[in-house]
Protein backbone atom coordinates (compact mmCIF):
# COMPACT_ATOMS: atom_id res chain seq x y z
CA UNK A 1 0.00 0.00 0.00
CA UNK A 2 1.39 3.35 -0.96
CA UNK A 3 1.84 6.30 1.35
CA UNK A 4 -0.82 8.40 -0.41
CA UNK A 5 -3.45 5.67 -0.27
CA UNK A 6 -2.72 5.03 3.39
CA UNK A 7 -2.98 8.77 4.13
CA UNK A 8 -6.36 8.92 2.32
CA UNK A 9 -7.68 5.92 4.26
CA UNK A 10 -6.59 7.44 7.56
CA UNK A 11 -8.26 10.72 6.59
CA UNK A 12 -11.51 8.90 5.74
CA UNK A 13 -11.37 6.96 9.03
CA UNK A 14 -10.94 10.19 10.97
CA UNK A 15 -13.88 11.80 9.15
CA UNK A 16 -16.08 8.78 9.92
CA UNK A 17 -15.02 8.86 13.59
CA UNK A 18 -15.76 12.60 13.79
CA UNK A 19 -19.21 12.10 12.24
CA UNK A 20 -20.04 9.26 14.63
CA UNK A 21 -18.79 11.24 17.62
CA UNK A 22 -20.91 14.21 16.56
CA UNK A 23 -24.04 12.06 16.18
CA UNK A 24 -23.43 10.41 19.55
CA UNK A 25 -23.00 13.82 21.18
CA UNK A 26 -26.25 15.12 19.66
CA UNK A 27 -28.13 12.01 20.78
CA UNK A 28 -26.70 12.19 24.31
CA UNK A 29 -27.56 15.87 24.68
CA UNK A 30 -31.09 15.22 23.43
CA UNK A 31 -31.61 12.31 25.81
CA UNK A 32 -30.07 14.21 28.74
CA UNK A 33 -31.94 17.46 28.11
CA UNK A 34 -33.68 17.27 31.50
CA UNK A 35 -30.35 17.11 33.35
CA UNK A 36 -28.85 19.81 31.16
CA UNK A 37 -31.72 22.14 32.06
CA UNK A 38 -31.36 21.42 35.78
CA UNK A 39 -27.63 22.13 35.65
CA UNK A 40 -28.17 25.33 33.66
CA UNK A 41 -30.78 26.56 36.15
CA UNK A 42 -28.43 25.85 39.04
CA UNK A 43 -25.50 27.55 37.32
CA UNK A 44 -27.39 30.70 36.36
CA UNK A 45 -25.87 33.76 37.99
CA UNK A 46 -23.02 31.87 39.66
CA UNK A 47 -19.31 31.86 39.01
CA UNK A 48 -16.92 29.82 41.16
CA UNK A 49 -19.67 28.63 43.48
CA UNK A 50 -20.99 26.43 40.65
CA UNK A 51 -18.39 23.85 41.64
CA UNK A 52 -19.88 23.08 45.04
CA UNK A 53 -23.45 24.37 44.71
CA UNK A 54 -24.23 22.46 41.51
CA UNK A 55 -22.24 19.32 42.24
CA UNK A 56 -25.35 17.09 42.36
CA UNK A 57 -26.71 18.38 39.05
CA UNK A 58 -23.29 18.09 37.39
CA UNK A 59 -22.94 14.48 38.54
CA UNK A 60 -26.43 13.59 37.28
CA UNK A 61 -25.67 15.20 33.91
CA UNK A 62 -22.31 13.45 33.59
CA UNK A 63 -23.83 10.09 34.54
CA UNK A 64 -26.50 10.53 31.88
CA UNK A 65 -24.00 11.61 29.22
CA UNK A 66 -21.70 8.67 29.93
CA UNK A 67 -24.53 6.22 29.33
Amino acid sequence: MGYMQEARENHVKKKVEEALRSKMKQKALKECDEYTSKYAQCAAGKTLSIVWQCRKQAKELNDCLHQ
Side-chain angles (χ1 to χ4, degrees):
M1 181 180 317
Y3 172 77
M4 292 300 289
Q5 184 177 353
E6 190 174 321
R8 280 190 200 108
E9 286 180 10
N10 285 338
H11 180 73
V12 170
K13 287 178 186 177
K14 287 182 181 178
K15 288 292 184 185
V16 170
E17 287 176 9
E18 288 174 13
L20 286 172
R21 193 173 294 121
S22 177
K23 283 188 176 192
M24 287 174 60
K25 182 179 177 181
Q26 289 173 358
K27 182 179 178 185
L29 288 174
K30 185 177 180 181
E31 290 182 10
C32 299
D33 187 52
E34 171 189 347
Y35 298 106
T36 304
S37 296
K38 286 181 182 179
Y39 183 73
Q41 287 174 349
C42 179
K46 295 179 179 76
T47 54
L48 288 175
S49 63
I50 292 171
V51 175
W52 59 87
Q53 289 185 346
C54 301
R55 184 173 285 143
K56 179 185 172 209
Q57 292 86 347
K59 183 177 179 351
E60 290 174 345
L61 177 58
N62 282 329
D63 289 345
C64 182
L65 291 172
H66 283 105
Q67 290 178 4

